[in-house]
Structure formats: C-alpha cells, structure tokens
Amino acid sequence: MSRPLVAVIDSAALQHNFSVVRALVPQAKSFCVVKANAYGHGLDCAARAFSASDGLALIEIENAVHLREKGWKKPIVLLEGFFDPQDIQTIAQHNLELTVHCPEQIDMLARAKQDVPLVVHLKMNTGMNRLGFKPKAWRAAYDRLRAISAVRSIKFMTHFANAEIASGAHMPIAEQVQRFQQETTGLSGELNLSNSAAILLHPELKTDWVRPGIMLYGGTPGGKTAEAYGLKPAMTLKSEIIAIQQIDKGDAIGYGSIFVADRPMKIGVVACGYADGYPRRAPDGTPILVDGVRTRLVGRVSMDMMTVDLTPVPNARVGSPVTVWGEGMPIEEVANASGTVGYELMCALSLRVRVEEK
Ligand SMILES: *Cc1c(COP(=O)(O)O)cnc(C)c1O
C-alpha cells in the first residue's frame, strides 16, 4: 500500500471552469495559462481539459516544446519570451508565440538569422513595473519590431497589478487600461489583456485575448470565494488519519511543543507535511476536514505529518479520510490562515505526492 496522500485532479472541474471563462467573456479568445505544471495540476491533464481553448500560455520553453510534441496544434505563447538567442530557433521551429518585454530581446531578435515568421506579444508596462516597456517607450519598441523581417505580427499586451481590488488600489486597473489605450489606439493589432481577476471583475474590458490562470483551477485571485463565482476546485488534496493520540491536559504536541492541551483531547495524525507542499507556517486553527467534518490543525506541521484536533469527530479512526484542501475545503481558506494565496499552495504541491486524474 502506498502512502494515503493523493492529489485528485478533477478534469471535469477544469473543463467547467474554462466554460465559466467563455461565458464571462464570450467575445474573447483564451490563452489558458498552464505555467508551473498547470499550477500544480499536471501539464498534460490540463492541456487535455482545455482542448477547446484557443491557445495555451506558459513560461517554460521546454514545456511548450513538450506540448507541441504531444500534438497541441493551436497557439502557445511564452509569457516571458526568451532568455537566450538560442531559444529563438526553438521558438521558430515549434511555432511558438513570444512575449517581448525588454530592449535586449529586440536586440537579440534583430541579430538572429532566421526567417521563419514570428508572432510577438509586445508588452507594455502600464504600472505593474515588472515586465514591459513604459508607455512612452512602447511605440519605439513597436517600430523597431516592425522593422525586423522575421516578425510577422504583433499583438499588444499588458498585465494588471490590482484587477481584483474594487477600489482604492495604488495602481487601479482603470489607470492601467487608460495608459494602454492611449498608446495603442489607432494601431492595428490584437489586444491581450486580462488575467483571472480582470475576467471575473471586469468582463466588459475590450480585449481580443484573455489569459485566465487561477480561475481555471478553481481558485480565486482574492475577494470572493471561488464558489461565489461558480468555479469548482480542480485539485483535492486527500489523505488519511494514520495514528491517533489521546492526550491529557498539559500535554504538548509535536516539534517545539507549540500547542499545549487545556483539556484531554483526541489528536489525529495526518499523512501530509511540508515536504508535500503543505505550508509549515500554517498556524493552530487552520481548517481541515476529517470524515467530512471541519476541524483544525494543532501543533507544528512537520515534514511528513501534521496533527489535528479530533474533538468534533469523535468517531474518527486510523484510516478516516482527510481533505487537506479542495472539494469541501476551499484552498483559499487554508492559504489565508497561512498568510499566503491559493496559487502558492497549488504550485508548491511536491513531486512525491501521487497525482490521480478523476
Ligand atoms: C500567470 C499569468 C497570468 C494568469 O494569472 P491568474 O491570476 O492566475 O489568472 C496571466 N498573465 C500573465 C502574464 C501571467 O504571468
């Protein structure tokens, strides 16, 4: 028998969440974002589930090549473009689209001796200040790209810093949109704008392409819960109780003895720890389901195990099912308790966790 910890990936939920994107922005084409092993869900499984999408987006060039080899024929865009002139040939050979965000990349393209036509997403830094050309420098970058014979077409791209924040953001989405439109109006090229937050909260935004990520996996970028948006969790991390301890008042649990019982308690030991991707910083009280009943983490998370309060589940026994996150236990709740976001938990699922497709 293998260890009872398993991440169950629900491909029907992935498909359902994609249909939510379609319903929200029916006029836009979608690059489903499958970077970081499809946010921990498995690249191949995600590509199958998103087969109705118009394209895929990711960071890792080797994974883009893998998708081509597996038979993905529709567009694939590299969200950070390339890092080395040698990548340009791979991009051309596999018909990948590329983001261009800095002058150094244009230099490399200008020097590259290759004549296969390229599709470029020219990124504007409208206020995120991470990747992209400042609005004032964007137009010159556009003109430089147009002069490179291998560049066949140019799409216009930007990324929002705070699309999930309704008001009061330091850099509101409206400001970013305005800066973007000011430079791109009058030029002909497809627009590639919205992440999940913008799709969910600003579906009216005019864009030819959207780039949904977290919402496809049944997470949310903040604000409301995934359920409130009609999204279904695609990853359920399941385990079991592997031991039970009856402790007395004054007994402590685990490393550092950070939790001390104020009464006699029944404690369940769950096969899941930080080496599986569960956050070690999750505090006492972080929610978890045992036998479908909501209870709480107590004591420090260790590498392979964690301990939970069985008071609300008196009949729990060795072998009782545990839902760490996913169906019935929103990943955002676990993330919030641990001072992080669902994104990080999904992506941090470790290699040793068995993955099963449902
Ligand atoms: C990751 C990423 C996305 C997807 O963001 P979500 O918040 O997961 O929807 C979109 N665009 C770019 C450039 C990204 O890097």
Side-chain angles (χ1 to χ4, degrees):
M1 248 307 269
S2 45
R3 198 163 165 247
L5 182 64
V6 55
V8 181
I9 306 301
D10 183 348
S11 25
L14 293 172
Q15 289 173 32
H16 165 83
N17 295 335
F18 177 63
S19 74
V20 174
V21 175
R22 275 267 194 268
L24 280 165
V25 287
Q27 76 289 356
K29 290 176 276 186
S30 305
F31 280 116
C32 289
V33 180
V34 294
K35 62 189 176 187
N37 194 30
Y39 291 46
H41 293 66
L43 184 60
D44 292 329
C45 170
R48 277 194 301 277
F50 306 143
S51 61
S53 77
D54 306 281
L56 299 175
L58 75 178
I59 303 283
E60 311 85 1
I61 193 165
E62 64 281 9
N63 287 346
V65 171
H66 170 86
L67 286 167
R68 282 285 184 247
E69 285 167 351
K70 284 272 176 170
W72 182 272
K73 299 218 161 45
K74 292 191 246 188
I76 299 176
V77 59
L78 297 170
L79 293 169
E80 292 175 352
F82 59 97
F83 312 94
D84 185 286
Q86 285 175 354
D87 296 336
I88 298 172
Q89 226 205 317
T90 313
I91 286 170
Q93 190 183 338
H94 295 278
N95 189 23
L96 307 176
E97 302 188 11
L98 65 152
T99 303
V100 165
H101 60 78
C102 67
E104 291 77 1
Q105 288 177 322
I106 303 184
D107 296 342
M108 287 188 261
L109 284 171
R111 281 195 299 265
K113 305 217 178 342
Q114 68 88 31
D115 42 19
V116 180
L118 299 172
V119 177
V120 170
H121 296 240
L122 181 58
K123 191 162 188 179
M124 193 191 297
N125 168 17
T126 51
M128 177 87 170
N129 290 316
R130 201 176 55 176
L131 298 184
F133 296 86
K134 286 264 175 68
K136 289 264 164 304
W138 186 88
R139 183 58 200 259
Y142 172 78
D143 290 337
R144 273 193 79 196
L145 276 177
R146 295 242 304 173
I148 298 174
S149 61
V151 174
R152 182 183 71 199
S153 73
I154 305 174
K155 295 187 172 82
F156 310 154
M157 177 183 182
T158 195
H159 192 57
F160 300 125
N162 301 301
E164 67 278 20
I165 299 178
S167 69
H170 181 83
M171 175 47 67
I173 181 170
E175 170 74 23
Q176 289 195 263
V177 169
Q178 201 240 321
R179 291 177 179 187
F180 183 78
Q181 286 174 344
Q182 192 167 336
E183 299 303 320
T184 56
T185 305
L187 298 180
S188 78
E190 288 187 322
L191 311 182
N192 174 7
L193 294 185
S194 302
N195 56 4
S196 296
I199 294 166
L200 291 167
L201 283 104
H202 302 276
E204 75 292 343
L205 205 63
K206 190 180 156 302
T207 182
D208 299 289
W209 289 88
V210 293
R211 303 186 304 271
I214 192 75
M215 67 180 292
L216 294 172
Y217 305 101
T220 64
K224 287 196 274 183
T225 64
E227 205 181 355
Y229 291 117
L231 301 166
K232 295 182 181 165
M235 176 197 290
T236 298
L237 186 58
K238 290 183 174 176
S239 189
E240 287 179 6
I241 300 287
I242 59 165
I244 288 181
Q245 296 291 342
Q246 189 69 52
I247 62 170
D248 295 322
K249 181 177 176 189
D251 283 349
I253 307 166
Y255 290 120
S257 302
I258 58 169
F259 177 85
V260 179
D262 60 2
R263 57 192 152 86
M265 286 176 78
K266 202 168 146 187
I267 299 296
V269 180
V270 177
C272 179
Y274 62 78
D276 301 300
Y278 193 87
R280 182 176 178 276
R281 60 197 179 282
D284 285 345
T286 303
I288 188 162
L289 296 185
V290 177
D291 255 342
V293 177
R294 203 181 156 97
T295 180
R296 59 179 181 138
L297 184 73
V298 285
R300 184 166 284 161
V301 174
S302 46
M303 187 183 282
D304 316 301
M305 286 169 268
M306 56 192 179
T307 39
V308 300
D309 179 3
L310 293 180
T311 311
V313 223
N315 295 327
R317 47 176 181 81
V318 168
S320 287
V322 172
T323 300
V324 177
W325 62 61
E327 237 181 296
M329 174 46 64
I331 195 166
E332 275 75 26
E333 282 198 50
V334 180
N336 284 343
S338 313
T340 183
V341 287
Y343 295 78
E344 188 184 5
L345 300 185
M346 291 176 186
C347 297
L349 188 75
S350 91
L351 269 178
R352 83 167 176 187
V353 179
R354 202 155 34 95
V355 177
E356 278 173 11
E357 228 177 289
K358 174 164 126 179

